[in-house]
Amino acid sequence: MDIYQGELDVENYNQISEEEMELRRGPWTAEEDHTLINHIAQNGEGRWNSLAQSAGLKRTGKSCRLRWLNYLHPNVRRGNITLEEQLLILDLHSRWGNRWSKIAQHLPGRTDNEIKNYWRTRVQKHAKQLKCDVNSKRFKDTMRYLWMPRLVERIQAAASAGAGASSSTTTPYQLNSHNRSSTIDNMGSSQKVLPQADIINNTVGNYGGGGVPVNVNATSYTAENSSTAASSDSFGTPGSDLTDCYNYPVNQSSNQLAYGETLTSPSGYFNQGLDFQVMEQNNQWMDEGDMYDNLWNVDDNWFLQQQFNNNF
DNA sequence: AACCAGGACAACCGCCACTCT
DNA sequence: GAGAGTGGCGGTTGTCCTGGT
């Protein structure tokens, strides 16, 4: 009985050669995917080694598990990382480092592998371009004070642009969903999801600072549907946002965030309307017991002054 | 058109922790 | 308690695709 009724891109799968019949490695075929999906649908997941055997798959249990969790699981989201997700990844990584699975728990439908790949291909690339280590204080500060506010601004801009129009390209989850759709809650035990709405709201609110609440509640904006998105990520090249940050015009007169002013005084940045540290202490979404002795408490005037002198 | 380089992402590997016998 | 089996995690590699020359 063929339970799986989804569509698979059969043409792009490799064909199985005779030599590969012992223990297959490499890309999965459509047939293997169907077999795995149907077997799990009938028998459930877990006990991956015996599952692989009983399903007749010439794969290791590990390989089956990985294929299921990272690709075939119905709740796995495909497509570009949204601006909010980028912001969240930067945020959580600054707190927890390379704890990808933990970070992934806060991004429903995203796998640790996907986030890890995102970090390596996008974030580390820009650290390289800036000629600094991705774990260096300089780079973290750049993210904190330049990159993340820029992301917030783009989310803000996208929210404004989309305020009057309903979007047909919203992502599967909505940021304000305290009673979020059961899609996530129906996930298998392997993907436990923590409340995200509060994370985003608090996070964005913090970065927004300046008494300018950032409303990202109505719609989740992807790079594709964001009118300000020039590329698939917030810093894609050309026109890298990270690059943009260095050249970002100081806006003293509008309601928008004035990053130039911010750069000279990170303390003032957060004192414009919000007590950042107090907010963080009150954040419910901080895992208890987690250390976050990181850049969030940094008040490095020297670095910011350098950035200001160099780029403004 | 052919080649090359770099990006993106899927998949694998090794290690560790946990559970069960 | 010891050993085997299993699952989870982070790091790394492999492969495909795309854009530039």
Side-chain angles (χ1 to χ4, degrees):
Chain A
M1 172 182 171
D2 192 5
I3 291 179
Y4 179 69
Q5 303 197 349
E7 293 182 11
L8 290 171
D9 189 5
V10 178
E11 290 185 0
N12 286 334
Y13 281 83
N14 294 344
Q15 299 299 314
I16 301 177
S17 66
E18 290 295 321
E19 306 82 60
E20 293 174 310
M21 291 306 289
E22 273 307 307
L23 189 60
R24 277 185 47 73
R25 296 176 59 186
W28 280 62
T29 66
E31 188 179 354
E32 286 178 307
D33 281 348
H34 274 99
T35 300
L36 182 58
I37 291 168
N38 287 325
H39 194 270
I40 289 175
Q42 293 179 51
N43 304 297
E45 53 186 285
R47 310 288 297 179
W48 293 102
N49 280 336
S50 57
L51 186 152
Q53 276 192 327
S54 59
L57 288 164
K58 308 291 184 184
R59 296 276 183 172
T60 65
K62 272 191 169 186
S63 182
C64 293
R65 173 184 167 273
L66 208 62
R67 182 64 176 172
W68 174 251
L69 292 180
N70 284 345
Y71 197 83
L72 299 176
H73 194 288
N75 291 123
V76 169
R77 289 181 58 201
R78 320 299 308 173
N80 290 336
I81 304 284
T82 65
L83 297 176
E84 289 90 347
E85 286 173 324
Q86 291 175 44
L87 186 60
L88 202 50
I89 291 170
L90 296 182
D91 177 7
L92 297 179
H93 187 275
S94 72
R95 297 167 191 274
W96 299 327
N98 295 354
R99 298 176 65 180
W100 306 116
S101 63
K102 186 169 183 172
I103 294 173
Q105 288 176 355
H106 292 270
L107 288 104
R110 299 296 186 185
T111 67
D112 55 351
N113 208 35
E114 193 172 10
I115 295 170
K116 183 168 55 182
N117 283 331
Y118 167 79
W119 185 265
R120 292 187 60 82
T121 57
R122 319 276 179 87
V123 180
Q124 288 195 348
K125 179 183 74 176
H126 284 272
K128 197 175 177 181
Q129 286 177 350
L130 292 172
K131 294 182 172 63
C132 61
D133 186 86
V134 73
N135 294 316
S136 68
K137 185 173 179 298
R138 176 170 178 257
F139 185 71
K140 287 178 178 177
D141 284 347
T142 303
M143 281 200 308
R144 175 77 180 97
Y145 296 116
L146 295 171
W147 191 347
M148 293 168 84
R150 172 62 171 156
L151 263 176
V152 171
E153 193 232 5
R154 289 183 59 184
I155 293 170
Q156 200 174 16
S160 302
S166 61
S167 170
S168 61
T169 55
T170 54
T171 53
Y173 71 94
Q174 302 296 321
L175 295 175
N176 66 333
S177 32
H178 281 281
N179 351 333
R180 200 172 53 247
S181 108
S182 59
T183 307
I184 302 307
D185 299 325
N186 289 338
M187 268 186 177
S189 58
S190 59
Q191 295 196 43
K192 297 183 178 63
V193 176
L194 302 176
Q196 187 194 29
D198 291 336
I199 299 172
I200 289 286
N201 289 334
N202 279 328
T203 303
V204 171
N206 286 345
Y207 298 130
V212 184
V214 180
N215 180 8
V216 293
N217 288 343
T219 308
S220 183
Y221 298 93
T222 66
E224 304 92 85
N225 67 15
S226 166
S227 62
T228 59
S231 60
S232 64
D233 56 46
S234 69
F235 39 82
T237 50
S240 161
D241 271 12
L242 195 50
T243 307
D244 288 350
C245 290
Y246 290 110
N247 303 308
Y248 200 80
V250 178
N251 185 347
Q252 305 269 11
S253 59
S254 76
N255 278 338
Q256 302 300 312
L257 299 176
Y259 294 122
E261 184 178 283
T262 299
L263 289 173
T264 60
S265 175
S267 301
Y269 174 68
F270 295 113
N271 287 337
Q272 288 176 19
L274 297 169
D275 187 332
F276 180 73
Q277 292 193 7
V278 168
M279 283 188 66
E280 281 218 333
Q281 287 165 9
N282 292 337
N283 273 347
Q284 298 172 353
W285 53 277
M286 292 301 297
D287 282 2
E288 289 182 10
D290 272 323
M291 297 292 292
Y292 60 113
D293 51 337
N294 50 37
L295 60 100
W296 298 99
N297 296 321
V298 166
D299 188 3
D300 191 341
N301 285 313
W302 175 85
F303 166 75
L304 294 167
Q305 189 64 54
Q306 290 298 310
Q307 291 299 311
F308 181 82
N309 291 339
N310 290 339
N311 300 287
F312 293 96

